[in-house]
């Protein structure tokens, strides 16, 4: 895109990304650790079944304390235990909000449902969260594919796992002048995935014989009302920038980032998904809100494609 230059995710010094996973159980944890100043964070939740932790911290009406880390994980709601390990690791390193009696790390988390891909009984826990946080503290090990929170990610699951395709964790970063913007996303969608740059479907529901793509929307029309639509879904991600914005503005940027989900995933934001997007400001660059929100949607779009590719 003209005027925008792709950069490495490691060119965002305000954030360090740690990934840990179990290749046997097919689940994992991704920690986005902000520098000691923390970050101003907003969120957009468009899915009907989010598994999340401490999301009220992102509301403009709650205390304006900086967030130390965002955790993305597998394990459905069981995976929320990973944040306990992240908190313990940060406390051990003297990071957190000083209350006078203890330093309390502020950690937000969202989880995907990956219990139907690997082991349904092995989920991210405190130990895995601690290990991922240590990776981030040591400088990070960012990577795309079947790593971290994307280890058990799959897409196109409206007809069950037997007709789904593997997905993963995607990352993408750009700069526009002094403004930098990056995205990390675990793509675990009910729907099919498209690359907006070509208009082509790149992953999703397979036909019954597995030889070509099916159409998740067509299958949804056929099903009509269904009390327990296949529940193994949720796309979770975060955008982060060196732009300077307040909490209300970061919530708006998170909501603008949702445009990427709409451009890349169909159907999306259903009651069978827990689709969530965090948006974090961890810098001091003065920037226009509309520019930042549009750029956030762009990097998220490319991160979704990277999760498939």
């Amino acid at each position: 895109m003209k005027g925008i230059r792709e950069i490495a995710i490691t060119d965002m010094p305000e954030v360090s990304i740690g990934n840990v996973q179990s290749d046997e159980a097919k689940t994992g944890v991704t920690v986005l650790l902000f520098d000691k100043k923390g970050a101003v964070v907003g969120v957009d939740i468009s899915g009907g079944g989010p598994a999340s932790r401490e999301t009220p911290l992102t509301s403009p009406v709650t205390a304006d304390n900086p967030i130390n880390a965002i955790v993305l994980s597998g394990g459905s709601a069981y995976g929320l235990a990973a944040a306990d390990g992240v908190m313990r690791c940060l406390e051990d390193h003297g990071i957190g909000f000083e209350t006078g009696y203890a330093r309390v790390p502020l950690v937000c988390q969202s989880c995907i449902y990956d219990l139907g891909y690997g082991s349904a009984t092995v989920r991210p826990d405190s130990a895995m969260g601690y290990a991922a946080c240590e990776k981030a503290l040591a400088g990070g090990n960012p990577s795309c594919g079947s790593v971290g929170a994307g280890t058990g990610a799959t897409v196109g699951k409206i007809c069950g796992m037997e007709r789904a395709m593997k997905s993963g964790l995607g990352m993408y970063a750009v700069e526009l002048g002094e403004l930098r913007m990056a995205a990390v996303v675990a793509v675990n969608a009910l729907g099919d995935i498209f690359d907006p740059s070509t208009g082509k479907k790149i992953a999703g529901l397979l036909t019954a014989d597995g030889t070509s793509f099916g159409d998740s929307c067509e299958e949804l029309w056929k099903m009509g009302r269904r009390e327990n639509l296949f529940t193994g879904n949720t796309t979770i991600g975060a955008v982060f920038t060196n732009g300077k914005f307040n909490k209300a503005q970061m919530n708006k940027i998170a909501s603008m980032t949702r445009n990427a989900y709409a451009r890349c995933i169909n159907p999306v934001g259903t009651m069978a998904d827990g689709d969530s997007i965090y948006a974090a400001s961890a810098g001091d660059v003065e920037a226009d809100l509309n520019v930042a929100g549009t750029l956030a949607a762009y990097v998220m779009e490319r991160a979704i494609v990277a999760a498939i590719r």
Side-chain angles (χ1 to χ4, degrees):
M1 188 176 289
K2 192 173 182 181
I4 296 173
R5 186 174 76 90
E6 182 181 353
I7 60 175
I9 202 91
T10 51
D11 290 335
M12 304 285 291
E14 304 86 358
V15 185
S16 181
I17 302 170
N19 287 309
V20 167
Q21 61 278 332
S22 168
D23 292 321
E24 293 74 28
K26 305 299 182 187
T27 193
V29 176
T30 298
V31 172
L32 281 63
L33 178 65
F34 302 104
D35 61 26
K36 290 198 173 182
K37 295 186 301 180
V40 177
V41 177
V43 73
D44 178 86
I45 299 175
S46 54
S52 62
R53 178 188 188 279
E54 291 278 49
T55 50
L57 294 176
T58 65
S59 170
V61 301
T62 58
D64 199 21
N65 298 320
I67 303 301
N68 300 115
I70 294 172
V71 181
L72 309 177
S73 84
S76 189
Y78 292 108
L80 293 170
D84 295 337
V86 175
M87 286 189 67
R88 186 161 49 85
C89 183
L90 293 177
E91 182 185 28
D92 288 348
H93 287 83
I95 299 171
F97 179 72
E98 181 56 64
T99 66
Y101 294 95
R103 191 174 289 275
V104 181
L106 301 182
V107 179
C108 296
Q109 181 179 359
S110 288
C111 309
I112 65 170
Y113 184 106
D114 56 4
L115 305 182
Y117 181 65
S119 171
T121 59
V122 178
R123 307 110 178 192
D125 56 11
S126 179
M128 189 177 283
Y130 196 106
C133 190
E134 282 192 317
K135 292 279 188 183
L137 284 165
N141 59 337
S143 182
C144 293
S146 290
V147 296
T151 305
T154 50
V155 297
K157 292 171 281 188
I158 198 166
C159 292
M161 290 300 295
E162 64 275 8
R163 290 174 60 182
M165 290 181 67
K166 188 70 182 72
S167 178
L169 190 72
M171 302 182 185
Y172 196 80
V174 299
E175 64 179 9
L176 177 63
E178 293 184 347
L179 180 66
R180 295 190 301 269
M181 184 74 69
V184 176
V185 62
V187 182
N188 192 58
L190 175 74
D192 302 324
I193 312 300
F194 297 81
D195 183 345
S197 68
T198 63
K200 294 182 179 180
K201 186 183 296 188
I202 57 174
L205 177 70
L206 296 172
T207 54
D209 62 6
T211 60
S212 60
F213 285 128
D215 189 307
S216 291
C217 285
E218 286 187 4
E219 292 297 331
L220 186 62
W221 314 148
K222 291 177 189 177
M223 290 176 180
R225 180 175 175 81
R226 184 172 167 184
E227 293 300 327
N228 187 26
L229 190 67
F230 187 75
T231 55
N233 314 302
T234 293
T235 297
I236 54 174
V239 293
F240 46 96
T241 180
N242 67 341
K244 183 179 180 180
F245 298 100
N246 61 37
K247 227 189 324 186
Q249 291 171 322
M250 291 316 298
N251 275 275
K252 178 58 179 175
I253 288 173
S255 71
M256 291 179 72
T257 307
R258 193 201 304 183
N259 291 319
Y261 283 22
R263 290 197 288 257
C264 295
I265 307 169
N266 193 27
V268 69
T270 71
M271 294 301 288
D273 293 294
D275 297 340
S276 303
I277 301 168
Y278 294 97
S281 165
D284 297 310
V285 173
E286 297 291 339
D288 179 77
L289 175 64
N290 296 308
V291 170
T294 302
L295 197 62
Y298 173 70
V299 295
M300 180 60 76
E301 170 191 309
R302 302 322 302 165
I304 290 171
V305 173
I308 302 299
R309 297 297 190 195

